[in-house]
Amino acid sequence: MRTVRLTGTDVLIKTGSPHLEVPLNHRRSTVIAISALLAATFAPVVTSTSAFAAPLPAFAAAEPNQVTDLTVTQADGFATVAWTPVPGVTDYQIERTAVDASNAPTGTPTVVGVWRPNRQVNNEEPTFADAGFNPGSRFQWRVRARIGTAEQPYSSPVFDTTKAPWGDPAVAGQNLRTQWETTQAAQYTSDVNEYAYTAEVDRLSERVRVVEIGRTVQNRPINMFVIGYPTPPATPAAVAATSPLAVNCNVHGNEPGDREACLIMARQLAFSNDARTLGLLKNTTVLIVPTINGDGRAANTRGNVTGQDLNRDYSLIRQPETAAYVRMLRDYRPVAGYDGHEYGNSQAGDLPMLPPRHQNVAQQIFDESLDMIENHMYVEGAKDGWWACPYGCANGSGVGLSEETILRNTLGLKNTVNSLLELRSSGGATRPDEGNTANNRRRKTFSALWTFNQFMDYHHNQLSDIKTARGEAIEFQAGNNGRIVFRGSRIVPLHPAPHPGEAGPREDLPTPDMILDNAPCAYKLTEAQYNGARTDGPNDVGATVAERIAAHGWKVVKVADGYVVPLAQPERGLIPLLLDEQGEEEWVSGERVYPTLTGRHNGPLTISGFACLSGATVNGPVNLRPGATLVATNTTISGPVNAANAAGVFFGDSVVRGPLQVANTNGPVTVIGTNVSGPVNLVNNTNGAAPYFAGNSVSGPLNCAGNSTAPTNLEVRNVVNGPRAGQCATL
Amino acid sequence: MRTRLLAVVVVAALALAGCTSDSSTTTAVSGPLCDELPKGDEPGNPTALASEPVDQALQWITVLTTFEGALRASELVPELEGKKAITVLAPSDDAFMAKFSQDNLDELMIKDKDTLRTLLRAHIVDRSLSLADLRDADSVTTLDGTTVKVGEADKMARIGDEATTVCADYRIANGRVHVINHVLGNLPTTAGQGDSGH
């Protein structure tokens, strides 16, 4: 370490580390270290209290290199500081000083940030989101440029009062506050306080229904806000029909910053009457799970009470918390998601984000997720002053990889556009390091609140694109297309300049042992594999594979000697990762079932038992005998298809030139991405969950009747040139 | 991966920074970190904690969330509250992050509570010692039986080889709490190991 003597005997600072544990802030002088400046460029600001007492008159001509046109715009928990760039300078320092109502300083001037070119994607209009103050306080801001480390003159000051905590104290509902707010961020909101707050939001707002989606190991409720306007749809299926979006706020118990933002956002959505909020809620439903890991939050542990990291369990669902979330995803079908975390890497920007990279995620979902991050978050961040960046940013080579156990990837494998969100919990390149102080908590929480609000705007503005991507992804997956990758990521290309020196997450390409080029048609499980007792849950008791498959919502066919899970369904990317022996973290080693017909078949085809047609061509009628199962992907059938009393019927990415009749199936029915030239009849299918009929093109009438559960299109519309009738009238 | 490096900030001329008051009814804390912690009339200010039992007081000192959770997990609170007087040398969250990996910390707090108790006992002395007492003493014996050298470090107190107080002299119902910047005890450093990304 190097000792720097700054001002005589006043201050000793030992540098040589990217971190100072605390900003120095005391009465005689102010010294704030911006840690990224490191030893080489370390340039503390020393300002005597007399130096800023006389602001420049407004009419004063700008001095050379003086920042001009300073503006400060107030938002919830932060202020956007903006100015006209000075040509040729290295960076800018943003200074804030507490002032009273008459603008007399009441605190010491503090450099609260450094703007440098890689903070935002456009450099023509620099902005800096200043946060980390008690909302409602009044401040003076000034900005100055630096050339190298040489400080140029400060701008004229701007005085303003920051926005008070959201909600009119005189209006019921709006006046609710969390424990975190009432303690001025000295304490996080406790479990009990969360439940009370949640119940009051629920009670006082017609827009809100709070649903308990499960319980933790220690029996804490896992609540979800379901928010719509004027009221949220009544059932999960009705919510799904609105293409909802979901925010998961607190999976790691010791990363609580996002959760506080979620609780505030729930209040805003419940009680705000501004046009934007109402516009959002009229068109969709917002799902907010504030605390999936209530036990870990209460104990301040990363994992749940068993020590399991829940964000390594969303595919495996060994724990009740993750199982609850996955069942929610099955029932509510959010089309987009965010997953909130905190991150200690000081090299990161304000808000590291990352799309689902696992190579089994459909390309469309990856692309749309990256679009959300780069073309919305980066762009809006540049307007409001927040620095969104790729997860990793620098020194992040070990993170952001392809584990399907991580919600980001699990969601992608469920065809949900989504991103990870990290809140930088330590100091960094452009912010002072304030440790776990109230001000740093506020910075994290209000940056999360900004992100989640932007997420809602993105969903609102881009819903058509999101739905298109999701629909194409579901059709791609149900067609059992492409190789299987068990572990391995897509490359996240670095955003073009100006992000010099930034590093995204490492390549993480699949190794050969993690690739299966010849994808099977299905996996077959034995009775013991499917229904056998498991020991991989809390207290050595785990749910059966059958129960976990049901939680994910996969279709399973009961056959004489076991259970068959065809890949011709929407979660095709996820199924092999849990049922193939080659998987990195699989439940069981299911038997790979390969196609029974891949070439041409001329003449009638009668199916008994299990048949899998992959890339096949059948010139003739296809008949399923009672108890038979047909799985057809990338297959063309010229002739009618008639399934009566079958055990299961799966069509993905196929063509049927003739009528399609599926009746009295005693098992799953799914028809996705298939072109049918002729009438379609789905009738009296009485066993199993809702038949899937999604993303198909039908030249003829579509009729559904007598099915024990009405068929669903999974919010992927069918094109039907004919009347739609009965249970399929709206598909 | 959570990796953090700590630099020690020593403020030589910073006597009772920002946290003192002329009123005799307020509690004076001192150290470079104090100004960033609840102060004045803010919730959790030092005066408000002076009559609180140790577990309640710790919940208000924002940089002690790890220590506070660990103390609850250790089930040592009744023992500490039963003592006539204690001194708690409480490492900050940054100190814990620099010492233990996330996995290691969860292991200690959830599964290896005997080790956790020993670790926490290494941070507690069974008499009430002010900052001045720590600066004047040569050593103190912590509840785990270890003798720890103490002494002056500019205006703060040095605790053992590495730690110094960064906000000292919180009063609680039966003693004192001093926030320190390194974890004491003899457990190995595991920070930076393991899978602790998102």
Side-chain angles (χ1 to χ4, degrees), chain B residues 2 25 62 85 98 149 172 192:
Chain B
R2 290 175 170 269
T25 60
T62 61
K149 287 182 189 169
I172 59 172

Side-chain angles (χ1 to χ4, degrees), chain A residues 233-247:
Chain A
T235 65
V239 171
T242 70
S243 295
L245 68 168
V247 180

